[in-house]
């Protein structure tokens, strides 16, 4: 092998060391982990939470989805889908929680209505004092 070919192979090999790990990391799981178990305080007079004063209103904040339901009052669950970690949202028309990535559906108690998710969303205790909600995420 001549010197030129040897140099080309060394450069190509070095590039592989940088490209392959990046590509493999990109193919990894997209799961988000929420290690925050601190209580979440929500002031309903704050403009970004004003929708929670109305039935059917919802907000996603700090890896938590908060929904003002007709029957259950205000409920709070993890907003991280248990399937692949995408952020779920409230589907007001169907009155369920929907993952936009793979179409898993969840009920207000966190249970799975339709997969591919098999584990429920963690449900959090909500305490209301006037216009302040405290959500216990422990």
């Amino acid at each position: 092998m001549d010197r030129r070919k040897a140099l080309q192979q060394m450069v190509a090999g070095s590039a592989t060391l940088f490209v392959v790990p990046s590509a493999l990391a990109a193919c990894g799981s997209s799961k988000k982990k929420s290690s925050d178990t601190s209580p979440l305080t929500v002031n309903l007079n704050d403009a970004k939470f004003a929708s929670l004063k109305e039935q059917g209103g919802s907000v996603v904040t700090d890896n938590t989805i908060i929904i003002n339901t007709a029957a259950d009052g205000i409920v709070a669950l993890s907003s991280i889908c248990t399937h692949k970690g995408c952020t779920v949202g409230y589907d007001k028309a169907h009155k369920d929680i929907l993952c936009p990535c793979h179409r898993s559906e969840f009920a207000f108690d966190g249970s799975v209505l339709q997969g591919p998710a098999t584990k429920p969303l963690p449900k959090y205790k909500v305490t209301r004092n006037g216009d302040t909600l405290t959500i216990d995420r422990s």
Side-chain angles (χ1 to χ4, degrees):
M1 177 182 305
D2 69 8
R3 187 172 169 197
R4 184 179 194 146
K5 264 219 192 290
L7 253 168
Q8 286 174 338
Q9 286 182 348
M10 283 182 12
V11 169
S14 297
T16 301
L17 290 174
F18 294 105
V19 173
V20 171
S22 299
L24 290 175
C27 292
S29 172
S30 64
K31 284 193 177 188
K32 297 178 205 169
K33 301 278 184 192
S34 175
S35 58
D36 187 5
T37 58
S38 62
L40 176 62
T41 303
V42 172
N43 182 343
L44 297 176
N45 292 319
D46 185 333
K48 69 180 185 177
F49 300 116
S51 68
L52 293 173
K53 288 186 174 185
E54 307 276 331
Q55 282 188 355
S58 68
V59 172
V60 175
T61 185
D62 296 333
N63 293 327
T64 304
I65 184 166
I66 309 165
I67 306 163
N68 186 343
T69 70
D72 301 315
I74 295 180
V75 298
L77 303 105
S78 170
S79 64
I80 301 170
C81 182
T82 56
H83 177 239
K84 291 285 185 182
C86 297
T87 301
V88 299
Y90 177 55
D91 182 355
K92 192 173 181 178
H94 294 101
K95 297 183 179 160
D96 62 7
I97 301 160
L98 183 64
C99 179
C101 295
H102 301 102
R103 308 301 290 169
S104 290
E105 294 178 33
F106 301 89
F108 294 138
D109 65 358
S111 62
V112 178
L113 297 174
Q114 176 179 314
T118 58
K119 295 178 185 172
L121 296 173
K123 185 174 180 181
Y124 305 132
K125 180 180 177 188
V126 178
T127 307
R128 185 172 185 166
N129 185 6
D131 284 336
T132 302
L133 305 177
T134 303
I135 299 165
D136 181 2
R137 301 184 292 177
S138 59

